[in-house]
Amino acid sequence: MALEDDLAHRLDHVRRRLAAAAARAGRAEGDVRLVAVSKTHPIDAIREAAAAGQVDFGENRVQEGLEKIEQGRDLGLRWHLIGHLQANKARRAALAFAVIHSIDRLDLLESVDRAAADAGRQPEVLIQVDLAGEATKHGAPEESIRAILEAGSRCRAARIVGLMLLPPFVEDPERVRPFFRRLRELRDRLAAEGADPRMLRELSMGMSHDFEVAIEEGATMVRVGTAIFGARR
Ligand SMILES: *Cc1c(COP(=O)(O)O)cnc(C)c1O
């Protein structure tokens, strides 16, 4: 009982911080979707969060996500794949997740689109961006984003809805702020150059230690794990 109470309290606390950050930025609370990152945590914790009203959940591995989606069928949750997607798992991901945040190559977009079209599903996808000089392992380089957006307009089923950023881990959120700002500026630049605004609606950025700063810089989806579920095993 105590454990479940803690989870509901932590979730509530995160929601309040989210609302306060949105207010500081002059934005509506409803502009920011909280994705509860449940990786490594058991289905019981997910049920507890769902009972407290949480609908969006994120997993970073396809297999672990598929297991939980199956276990939580009755809950009517919306599942997000937030971790790196390997080409050989694109099909399975396209069939199960409502939102895929980690598209970083044209061929991955095409695989997801083909699988989704065959299955009659319409997953939302985001382009994970590797900002110049960021040198992370995954993400599409800035100069390739336009081509991926153009391919998105030819997709039959998958719908590109925005950009995602996983900046290098830095403890101090103020030092992450410039990365968040650069993703927003990239989005604005692409929009000014004529990209379809429906494909630039969402900015997925911000985690437990920096989601408030991300919201101040324009995040529309924050991916929060530890602050809700506690430390990962
Ligand atoms: C694990 C993970 C998160 C959440 O991290 P916390 O620090 O626990 O909030 C967010 N985004 C991605 C891509 C992750 O893998």
Side-chain angles (χ1 to χ4, degrees), residues 37 39 60 82-83 164 166 206-209 223-227 232:
V37 177
K39 64 189 186 201
N60 72 334
I82 61 171
M164 181 272 216
L166 181 59
M207 312 173 28
S208 287
H209 74 296
R223 312 176 305 262
V224 179
T226 313
R232 281 183 283 276

Side-chain angles (χ1 to χ4, degrees), residues 99-189:
V99 190
I100 299 175
H101 292 231
S102 47
I103 295 294
D104 60 0
R105 296 198 324 260
L106 262 180
D107 61 321
L108 212 49
L109 175 65
E110 287 161 0
S111 302
V112 165
D113 183 51
R114 215 174 305 121
D118 289 350
R121 300 187 86 247
Q122 294 193 304
E124 295 187 345
V125 305
L126 288 86
I127 306 173
Q128 182 172 350
V129 179
D130 181 17
L131 293 171
E134 190 192 3
T136 51
K137 270 191 307 201
H138 304 298
E142 279 186 60
E143 60 274 14
S144 71
I145 308 293
R146 206 143 14 134
I148 300 178
L149 288 172
E150 278 162 19
S153 64
R154 295 190 296 271
C155 281
R156 291 178 295 157
R159 292 165 297 156
I160 297 180
V161 295
L163 307 177
M164 181 272 216
L165 183 67
L166 181 59
F169 184 88
V170 190
E171 196 81 47
D172 177 4
E174 284 305 326
R175 290 184 51 210
V176 194
R177 187 186 292 275
F179 290 101
F180 296 147
R181 188 169 293 164
R182 278 169 62 195
L183 190 72
R184 170 166 49 85
E185 287 169 354
L186 172 64
R187 191 267 318 271
D188 293 347
R189 204 157 56 240

Side-chain angles (χ1 to χ4, degrees), residues 47-141:
R47 287 189 177 279
E48 216 35 64
Q54 181 63 29
V55 174
D56 289 277
F57 288 83
E59 287 285 332
N60 72 334
R61 291 171 191 272
V62 172
Q63 186 55 40
E64 185 180 346
L66 294 178
E67 285 164 19
K68 290 177 190 172
I69 290 171
E70 194 49 46
Q71 292 167 336
R73 277 258 173 257
D74 56 307
L75 298 171
L77 304 177
R78 211 175 129 80
W79 288 93
H80 298 241
L81 180 68
I82 61 171
H84 176 63
L85 177 58
Q86 288 169 295
N88 63 359
K89 296 195 176 134
R91 181 169 193 88
R92 290 199 296 157
L95 300 189
F97 290 90
V99 190
I100 299 175
H101 292 231
S102 47
I103 295 294
D104 60 0
R105 296 198 324 260
L106 262 180
D107 61 321
L108 212 49
L109 175 65
E110 287 161 0
S111 302
V112 165
D113 183 51
R114 215 174 305 121
D118 289 350
R121 300 187 86 247
Q122 294 193 304
E124 295 187 345
V125 305
L126 288 86
I127 306 173
Q128 182 172 350
V129 179
D130 181 17
L131 293 171
E134 190 192 3
T136 51
K137 270 191 307 201
H138 304 298

Side-chain angles (χ1 to χ4, degrees), residues 8-20 34 208 211-212 215 222 224-228:
H9 276 121
R10 285 195 298 261
L11 183 58
D12 186 54
H13 186 57
V14 167
R15 288 201 186 116
R16 283 166 201 267
R17 288 168 58 195
L18 183 156
L34 174 62
S208 287
F211 72 89
E212 288 150 303
I215 290 169
V222 290
V224 179
T226 313
I228 296 171

